[in-house]
Amino acid sequence: QVQLVESGGGMVQPGGSLRLSCSASGSIFSIGAMDWYRQAPGKQRELVAAIRSGGSTIYGDSVKGRFTISRDNAKNTVYLQMNGLKPEDTAVYYCNVEGLITGGSRFSAWGQGTQVTVSS
């Protein structure tokens, strides 16, 4: 079993910054992709950013140039640095981690979600 714990959400004024963290624990053998999604009320869940084990990244068009995804493989943790936040960034942010558990079975785990609110 793999469990993810997210932290770092909160309320910030437009133009401010936040850093989200997501840490995975359990019987993890290896981790492949680590992703951040977000969902605002009445909106579809959208991919914010993704990073693979080799370091390649993908960003949603709306956050390119403002957000940076990174990972610490030794800590099984993924981060999302969010700069220049806008009101339209307001959403619940979820992390997703995929990989292998000990024994060779694949897993896909989701964090509990953390609220990010950008408002003046």
Side-chain angles (χ1 to χ4, degrees):
Q1 298 184 29
V2 177
Q3 192 168 37
L4 308 185
V5 178
E6 301 181 26
S7 63
M11 181 176 289
V12 66
Q13 293 186 339
S17 298
L18 287 172
R19 190 178 80 154
L20 306 183
S21 299
C22 174
S23 182
S25 62
S27 300
I28 300 171
F29 178 77
S30 64
I31 292 175
M34 307 181 83
D35 310 329
W36 287 98
Y37 290 81
R38 69 185 183 188
Q39 187 166 25
K43 302 290 186 179
Q44 289 185 300
R45 183 174 59 184
E46 65 175 333
L47 178 68
V48 177
I51 184 168
R52 294 193 173 274
S53 60
S56 61
T57 58
I58 297 173
Y59 293 95
D61 289 339
S62 63
V63 307
K64 288 180 179 177
R66 299 188 296 122
F67 291 9
T68 302
I69 188 170
S70 62
R71 61 193 285 169
D72 185 336
N73 291 328
K75 296 181 178 180
N76 290 335
T77 299
V78 61
Y79 305 94
L80 185 68
Q81 179 66 47
M82 304 184 293
N83 298 326
L85 284 163
K86 304 175 180 179
E88 50 263 44
D89 295 318
T90 296
V92 178
Y93 286 69
Y94 300 91
C95 63
N96 173 254
V97 176
E98 297 180 331
L100 299 174
I101 61 174
T102 55
S105 297
R106 300 187 65 179
F107 74 88
S108 177
W110 290 86
Q112 81 279 9
T114 185
Q115 176 71 47
V116 172
T117 301
V118 185
S119 176
S120 60

